[in-house]
Amino acid sequence: MVSLSGTVARERAIYPRPISAMPDIVMLRIPSEFRRPELVPGRHHPILVETIEEQHELELFLDQERDAPCAPDLLDTRPSTLQVEQVAIAHYAPPAAGWPYVLLCRWPADLAAAAPEELRIFARGAYTIELFEDREQLERASERVLALLGRRRRTYVEVIPPDWSAAPDGTRH
């Protein structure tokens, strides 16, 4: 018997929400032996946590003994409970060196519904998320998103400014 806490999710970090209308992120660093498309593709796996109850549920899920490791996807398809009227773009700084920077966009229901469901681009039906090695890559990607949204005249975008004092090097944005 194995748990995800002892296998796939043995290394994790918490990225706290910048405002109450955005989720916390539990970031897993996936050990190389568990990086497989059917289990977890890539080096990191973000899990978007909206409530304290979900945090507790996630911890129980990760600690649960099972026959073999499985994908840590407990919350991935659960509908978001946080409602917004506009696009929200947030930068999350890594909590320590070696963890990625995160660009998280929260999309209102009408815009999320416009995307074909088979593309499965929205986590929890409302978020797009990108991970970056450094702050410059994150800022360039954010500028591209803002430029694309700027072409839609009636789209209101809330930019949630980062507090880079939490960044590993302590520099401000």
Side-chain angles (χ1 to χ4, degrees), residues 37-122:
E38 70 278 5
L39 190 57
V40 184
R43 185 170 181 229
H44 293 97
H45 180 76
I47 301 171
L48 306 178
V49 179
E50 294 182 339
T51 66
I52 291 173
E53 292 79 15
E54 286 182 353
Q55 179 67 42
H56 293 301
E57 186 181 359
L58 177 63
E59 290 300 323
L60 289 172
F61 176 76
L62 296 175
D63 289 341
Q64 179 183 357
E65 293 290 323
R66 44 184 53 87
D67 293 331
C70 65
D73 59 0
L74 175 70
L75 302 175
D76 291 358
T77 59
R78 184 176 294 178
S80 173
T81 60
L82 301 175
Q83 301 299 315
V84 295
E85 298 297 318
Q86 68 279 342
V87 177
I89 298 173
H91 295 183
Y92 288 71
W99 290 90
Y101 286 82
V102 178
L103 174 62
L104 184 67
C105 298
R106 172 81 166 97
W107 300 89
D110 62 327
L111 291 178
E117 193 171 314
E118 62 273 9
L119 291 180
R120 305 184 77 200
I121 62 172
F122 294 103

Side-chain angles (χ1 to χ4, degrees), residues 128-147:
T128 55
I129 187 167
E130 294 183 77
L131 310 180
F132 300 95
E133 294 287 326
D134 60 47
R135 191 166 105 187
E136 290 77 26
Q137 292 174 339
L138 169 83
E139 290 169 347
R140 282 193 305 273
S142 185
E143 289 168 2
R144 283 192 300 272
V145 171
L146 286 169

